[in-house]
mmCIF file of all heavy atoms in Angstrom:
data_model
loop_
_atom_site.group_PDB
_atom_site.id
_atom_site.type_symbol
_atom_site.label_atom_id
_atom_site.label_comp_id
_atom_site.label_asym_id
_atom_site.label_seq_id
_atom_site.Cartn_x
_atom_site.Cartn_y
_atom_site.Cartn_z
ATOM 1 N N PHE A 337 -145.883 37.572 -83.499
ATOM 2 C CA PHE A 337 -145.602 38.977 -84.031
ATOM 3 C C PHE A 337 -144.088 39.130 -84.247
ATOM 4 O O PHE A 337 -143.638 39.696 -85.379
ATOM 5 C CB PHE A 337 -146.113 39.916 -83.009
ATOM 6 C CG PHE A 337 -145.760 41.369 -83.471
ATOM 7 C CD1 PHE A 337 -146.668 42.067 -84.315
ATOM 8 C CD2 PHE A 337 -144.832 42.102 -82.972
ATOM 9 C CE1 PHE A 337 -146.410 43.359 -84.736
ATOM 10 C CE2 PHE A 337 -144.457 43.425 -83.350
ATOM 11 C CZ PHE A 337 -145.360 44.079 -84.233
ATOM 12 N N MET A 338 -143.288 38.728 -83.409
ATOM 13 C CA MET A 338 -141.888 38.921 -83.518
ATOM 14 C C MET A 338 -141.246 38.041 -84.740
ATOM 15 O O MET A 338 -140.471 38.595 -85.462
ATOM 16 C CB MET A 338 -141.152 38.595 -82.238
ATOM 17 C CG MET A 338 -141.488 39.623 -81.142
ATOM 18 S SD MET A 338 -140.419 39.332 -79.540
ATOM 19 C CE MET A 338 -141.058 37.828 -79.033
ATOM 20 N N ALA A 339 -141.840 36.960 -84.896
ATOM 21 C CA ALA A 339 -141.442 36.145 -86.056
ATOM 22 C C ALA A 339 -141.794 36.762 -87.347
ATOM 23 O O ALA A 339 -141.131 36.753 -88.344
ATOM 24 C CB ALA A 339 -142.089 34.750 -85.917
ATOM 25 N N ALA A 340 -142.989 37.407 -87.346
ATOM 26 C CA ALA A 340 -143.511 38.102 -88.483
ATOM 27 C C ALA A 340 -142.632 39.352 -88.822
ATOM 28 O O ALA A 340 -142.396 39.638 -90.033
ATOM 29 C CB ALA A 340 -145.035 38.558 -88.326
ATOM 30 N N VAL A 341 -142.215 40.045 -87.759
ATOM 31 C CA VAL A 341 -141.237 41.148 -88.065
ATOM 32 C C VAL A 341 -139.981 40.761 -88.685
ATOM 33 O O VAL A 341 -139.454 41.305 -89.597
ATOM 34 C CB VAL A 341 -141.042 41.818 -86.759
ATOM 35 C CG1 VAL A 341 -139.890 42.911 -86.924
ATOM 36 C CG2 VAL A 341 -142.237 42.582 -86.272
ATOM 37 N N ALA A 342 -139.420 39.555 -88.197
ATOM 38 C CA ALA A 342 -138.261 38.977 -88.811
ATOM 39 C C ALA A 342 -138.447 38.620 -90.302
ATOM 40 O O ALA A 342 -137.547 38.873 -91.275
ATOM 41 C CB ALA A 342 -137.816 37.639 -87.977
ATOM 42 N N LEU A 343 -139.681 38.071 -90.539
ATOM 43 C CA LEU A 343 -139.902 37.716 -91.915
ATOM 44 C C LEU A 343 -140.086 38.973 -92.809
ATOM 45 O O LEU A 343 -139.673 38.994 -94.044
ATOM 46 C CB LEU A 343 -141.147 36.913 -92.056
ATOM 47 C CG LEU A 343 -141.013 35.414 -91.547
ATOM 48 C CD1 LEU A 343 -142.324 34.761 -91.558
ATOM 49 C CD2 LEU A 343 -139.953 34.644 -92.393
ATOM 50 N N TRP A 344 -140.750 40.070 -92.224
ATOM 51 C CA TRP A 344 -140.911 41.261 -92.969
ATOM 52 C C TRP A 344 -139.618 41.895 -93.345
ATOM 53 O O TRP A 344 -139.315 42.462 -94.429
ATOM 54 C CB TRP A 344 -141.690 42.203 -91.952
ATOM 55 C CG TRP A 344 -141.978 43.639 -92.503
ATOM 56 C CD1 TRP A 344 -141.928 44.046 -93.793
ATOM 57 C CD2 TRP A 344 -142.612 44.641 -91.800
ATOM 58 N NE1 TRP A 344 -142.410 45.323 -93.919
ATOM 59 C CE2 TRP A 344 -142.766 45.707 -92.676
ATOM 60 C CE3 TRP A 344 -142.944 44.800 -90.444
ATOM 61 C CZ2 TRP A 344 -143.302 47.072 -92.199
ATOM 62 C CZ3 TRP A 344 -143.438 46.036 -89.956
ATOM 63 C CH2 TRP A 344 -143.676 47.125 -90.954
ATOM 64 N N THR A 345 -138.632 41.775 -92.370
ATOM 65 C CA THR A 345 -137.307 42.316 -92.614
ATOM 66 C C THR A 345 -136.683 41.648 -93.757
ATOM 67 O O THR A 345 -135.980 42.215 -94.596
ATOM 68 C CB THR A 345 -136.545 42.127 -91.269
ATOM 69 O OG1 THR A 345 -137.208 42.675 -90.178
ATOM 70 C CG2 THR A 345 -135.108 42.852 -91.441
ATOM 71 N N LEU A 346 -136.734 40.327 -93.811
ATOM 72 C CA LEU A 346 -136.263 39.406 -94.883
ATOM 73 C C LEU A 346 -136.774 39.927 -96.157
ATOM 74 O O LEU A 346 -136.042 40.048 -97.242
ATOM 75 C CB LEU A 346 -136.523 38.030 -94.605
ATOM 76 C CG LEU A 346 -135.900 37.103 -95.673
ATOM 77 C CD1 LEU A 346 -134.380 37.081 -95.761
ATOM 78 C CD2 LEU A 346 -136.436 35.646 -95.435
ATOM 79 N N TRP A 347 -138.048 40.112 -96.251
ATOM 80 C CA TRP A 347 -138.789 40.569 -97.558
ATOM 81 C C TRP A 347 -138.255 41.967 -97.959
ATOM 82 O O TRP A 347 -137.900 42.226 -99.165
ATOM 83 C CB TRP A 347 -140.246 40.631 -97.249
ATOM 84 C CG TRP A 347 -141.053 41.182 -98.350
ATOM 85 C CD1 TRP A 347 -141.324 40.449 -99.525
ATOM 86 C CD2 TRP A 347 -141.613 42.474 -98.494
ATOM 87 N NE1 TRP A 347 -142.175 41.369 -100.391
ATOM 88 C CE2 TRP A 347 -142.372 42.437 -99.719
ATOM 89 C CE3 TRP A 347 -141.643 43.543 -97.739
ATOM 90 C CZ2 TRP A 347 -142.946 43.684 -100.181
ATOM 91 C CZ3 TRP A 347 -142.306 44.749 -98.153
ATOM 92 C CH2 TRP A 347 -142.949 44.803 -99.400
ATOM 93 N N ALA A 348 -138.066 42.881 -96.965
ATOM 94 C CA ALA A 348 -137.522 44.274 -97.312
ATOM 95 C C ALA A 348 -136.092 44.060 -97.729
ATOM 96 O O ALA A 348 -135.682 44.814 -98.682
ATOM 97 C CB ALA A 348 -137.619 45.180 -96.089
ATOM 98 N N TRP A 349 -135.352 43.155 -97.229
ATOM 99 C CA TRP A 349 -133.939 42.916 -97.552
ATOM 100 C C TRP A 349 -133.946 42.435 -99.028
ATOM 101 O O TRP A 349 -133.098 42.913 -99.871
ATOM 102 C CB TRP A 349 -133.381 41.901 -96.686
ATOM 103 C CG TRP A 349 -131.841 41.811 -96.646
ATOM 104 C CD1 TRP A 349 -131.030 42.381 -97.593
ATOM 105 C CD2 TRP A 349 -130.965 41.252 -95.720
ATOM 106 N NE1 TRP A 349 -129.703 42.217 -97.223
ATOM 107 C CE2 TRP A 349 -129.667 41.492 -96.040
ATOM 108 C CE3 TRP A 349 -131.233 40.610 -94.450
ATOM 109 C CZ2 TRP A 349 -128.506 41.069 -95.303
ATOM 110 C CZ3 TRP A 349 -130.093 40.080 -93.739
ATOM 111 C CH2 TRP A 349 -128.879 40.323 -94.115
ATOM 112 N N ARG A 350 -134.823 41.512 -99.371
ATOM 113 C CA ARG A 350 -134.933 40.985 -100.699
ATOM 114 C C ARG A 350 -135.187 42.029 -101.703
ATOM 115 O O ARG A 350 -134.804 42.077 -102.876
ATOM 116 C CB ARG A 350 -135.835 39.756 -100.916
ATOM 117 C CG ARG A 350 -135.272 38.520 -100.246
ATOM 118 C CD ARG A 350 -136.307 37.485 -100.385
ATOM 119 N NE ARG A 350 -136.663 37.105 -101.745
ATOM 120 C CZ ARG A 350 -136.062 36.440 -102.529
ATOM 121 N NH1 ARG A 350 -135.032 35.734 -102.134
ATOM 122 N NH2 ARG A 350 -136.484 36.141 -103.854
ATOM 123 N N ARG A 351 -136.004 43.026 -101.354
ATOM 124 C CA ARG A 351 -136.256 44.159 -102.258
ATOM 125 C C ARG A 351 -135.272 45.174 -102.294
ATOM 126 O O ARG A 351 -135.372 46.288 -103.025
ATOM 127 C CB ARG A 351 -137.658 44.721 -101.726
ATOM 128 C CG ARG A 351 -138.826 43.929 -101.960
ATOM 129 C CD ARG A 351 -139.983 44.537 -101.326
ATOM 130 N NE ARG A 351 -140.372 45.927 -101.973
ATOM 131 C CZ ARG A 351 -141.140 45.937 -103.015
ATOM 132 N NH1 ARG A 351 -141.688 44.971 -103.738
ATOM 133 N NH2 ARG A 351 -141.286 47.138 -103.575
ATOM 134 N N GLY A 352 -134.253 44.984 -101.564
ATOM 135 C CA GLY A 352 -132.951 45.916 -101.691
ATOM 136 C C GLY A 352 -133.188 47.274 -100.784
ATOM 137 O O GLY A 352 -132.526 48.095 -101.071
ATOM 138 N N ASP A 353 -133.988 47.064 -99.764
ATOM 139 C CA ASP A 353 -134.314 48.170 -98.946
ATOM 140 C C ASP A 353 -133.270 48.356 -97.756
ATOM 141 O O ASP A 353 -133.285 49.319 -97.023
ATOM 142 C CB ASP A 353 -135.710 48.345 -98.436
ATOM 143 C CG ASP A 353 -136.706 48.480 -99.524
ATOM 144 O OD1 ASP A 353 -136.262 49.076 -100.625
ATOM 145 O OD2 ASP A 353 -137.870 48.100 -99.454
ATOM 146 N N LEU A 354 -132.559 47.374 -97.467
ATOM 147 C CA LEU A 354 -131.702 47.396 -96.279
ATOM 148 C C LEU A 354 -130.287 47.883 -96.608
ATOM 149 O O LEU A 354 -129.246 47.126 -96.554
ATOM 150 C CB LEU A 354 -131.600 45.975 -95.643
ATOM 151 C CG LEU A 354 -132.866 45.413 -95.003
ATOM 152 C CD1 LEU A 354 -132.595 44.161 -94.113
ATOM 153 C CD2 LEU A 354 -133.731 46.529 -94.315
ATOM 154 N N THR A 355 -130.254 49.012 -97.293
ATOM 155 C CA THR A 355 -129.006 49.742 -97.594
ATOM 156 C C THR A 355 -129.001 51.091 -96.903
ATOM 157 O O THR A 355 -130.002 51.610 -96.597
ATOM 158 C CB THR A 355 -128.878 49.837 -99.102
ATOM 159 O OG1 THR A 355 -129.980 50.742 -99.523
ATOM 160 C CG2 THR A 355 -129.008 48.534 -99.808
#
Side-chain angles (χ1 to χ4, degrees):
F337 176 80
M338 292 187 290
V341 170
L343 290 174
W344 183 10
T345 308
L346 180 65
W347 177 76
W349 199 342
R350 285 178 59 84
R351 289 176 61 89
D353 291 339
L354 299 193
T355 63

